[in-house]
Amino acid sequence: MSVFVAGVMGWPVSHSLSPRLHGFWLRAYGISGRYDALAVQPENLTASLRALPQQGMRGVNLTVPHKEAAMKIVDSLDDTARRIGAINLVTVTDEGKLHGSNTDAYGFGENLTAGGFSGGHSALLLGAGGASRAIIVALIDKGFGDIRIANRTIERAQKLAQEFTTPQCRITAVTWDEIPAAMRETDLLVNATSLGMRGQPPLEIALDTLPVSATVTDIVYAPLETALLQQARQRGHRAIDGLGMLLHQARPAFAAFFGRDPEVTPELRAYLLADRQET
Ligand code: ATR
């Protein structure tokens, strides 16, 4: 029986949780596959991706700094990847071609659903970086009609608003000072900045004007319980942590590599969290 092989390409790649995550699923389902950490320098990305079919690999995930550059290398792209402007998954087709896709928007949406969030109209998004692009696509596809983006550098928020506004979804940029007012009619508050991450400045934001019915989610997952989520829970909001986005974005990749849609379970979460504290 052939052993399916996949991996994650990054530079550096040692920080990636993906090998442990996919390794957990391979063991859990008794699949004889392998998922490797592949340290690939930017100048070697084209050759490394092009070599995948000859190496008999099923595909790879991509992490920093390859997600945008790889778009120009693959033979085909799915529509979501095109909208987001980045790919995090490359699969080798039966014809030996490279197909690029992006599962970050899917992961964000699935994490919300798994956390009990059933949908809404208005979202307030903090941050206008790469992560925000996938989140905007997820929110539009979930049927949000109004997204406000707050960012330290307002021009980046304005650029995203311009790029992603559709007839069904109005997207506007708001300044950091306008956050309290923008919160008033918000169903979902998302932190997509790096603020609050271990080693980064804290996210200092008051939730006083946020309706108690609103859900709060953070893409930061180290620490798992960010100050934002803590504050939200204390005020009675549904709070959804960011680890789930990482776990759910990996599901379609695992399915593509190894032929089974894996489950996100409390055991998986505990395994990854325990591991992280050791290292
Ligand atoms: P990612 O791909 O993870 O989104 P990024 O593109 O570097 O990473 O974006 C980081 C986000 O965190 C941006 O919205 C950034 O705001 P700027 O566009 O103004 O840089 C935000 N961010 C990072 N550090 C910040 C800080 N100290 N204060 C406010 N916002 C910050």
Side-chain angles (χ1 to χ4, degrees):
M1 200 179 89
S2 64
V3 173
F4 292 143
V5 184
V8 53
M9 287 183 180
W11 185 262
V13 78
S14 55
H15 68 280
S16 174
L17 278 178
S18 295
R20 303 202 68 84
L21 167 55
H22 286 267
F24 179 94
W25 280 329
L26 286 170
R27 285 191 299 280
Y29 299 120
I31 296 171
S32 56
R34 237 177 59 210
Y35 186 101
D36 299 333
L38 305 164
V40 173
Q41 296 195 42
E43 57 268 37
N44 296 333
L45 183 63
T46 303
S48 301
L49 285 175
R50 283 278 150 225
L52 291 176
Q54 291 93 310
Q55 290 169 335
M57 289 184 68
R58 305 282 291 172
V60 286
N61 285 115
L62 298 174
T63 185
V64 179
H66 301 319
K67 286 179 158 192
E68 286 102 31
M71 288 188 79
K72 299 192 189 76
I73 301 168
V74 294
D75 301 304
S76 59
L77 282 171
D78 74 9
D79 183 45
T80 306
R82 225 176 254 125
R83 286 164 74 201
I84 296 173
I87 56 182
N88 69 342
L89 173 61
V90 175
T91 46
V92 177
T93 66
D94 293 342
E95 295 76 39
K97 300 278 188 200
L98 300 176
H99 180 70
S101 47
N102 192 311
T103 65
D104 285 331
Y106 175 83
F108 179 79
E110 286 288 291
N111 187 37
L112 286 184
T113 306
F117 180 77
S118 54
H121 177 75
S122 290
L124 175 58
L125 175 61
L126 311 180
S132 289
R133 298 181 65 88
I135 291 169
I136 292 168
V137 166
L139 294 174
I140 292 171
D141 292 353
K142 269 193 170 288
F144 277 78
D146 169 45
I147 302 172
R148 272 146 301 152
I149 309 170
N151 199 48
R152 172 179 60 179
T153 315
I154 185 77
E155 292 78 14
R156 288 184 90 187
Q158 285 165 340
K159 218 166 149 255
L160 288 185
Q162 214 170 20
E163 180 177 343
F164 283 101
T165 287
T166 68
Q168 292 76 33
C169 184
R170 180 170 174 263
I171 307 183
T172 46
V174 299
T175 65
W176 210 255
D177 292 340
E178 289 166 338
I179 288 175
M183 272 187 193
R184 281 186 200 287
E185 282 171 25
T186 292
D187 302 310
L188 179 69
L189 172 66
V190 185
N191 176 40
T193 72
S194 48
L195 296 174
M197 193 185 292
R198 207 165 281 145
Q200 298 291 320
L203 172 62
E204 281 162 344
I205 179 174
L207 300 182
D208 303 348
T209 51
L210 189 68
V212 179
S213 58
T215 294
V216 178
T217 188
D218 201 330
I219 66 158
V220 171
Y221 60 85
L224 186 65
E225 189 72 0
T226 60
L228 172 69
L229 295 179
Q230 228 165 46
Q231 192 194 156
R233 275 187 231 282
Q234 277 161 8
R235 286 179 39 87
H237 297 281
R238 176 187 289 117
I240 302 175
D241 70 55
L243 182 62
M245 178 179 176
L246 175 81
L247 304 185
H248 285 283
Q249 65 77 30
R251 280 179 35 227
F254 190 87
F257 300 147
F258 305 115
R260 173 166 185 162
D261 182 11
E263 274 181 292
V264 171
T265 58
E267 292 74 28
L268 171 61
R269 287 173 58 94
Y271 171 75
L272 292 173
L273 291 169
D275 174 65
R276 200 178 54 193
Q277 274 146 23
E278 279 162 26
T279 54

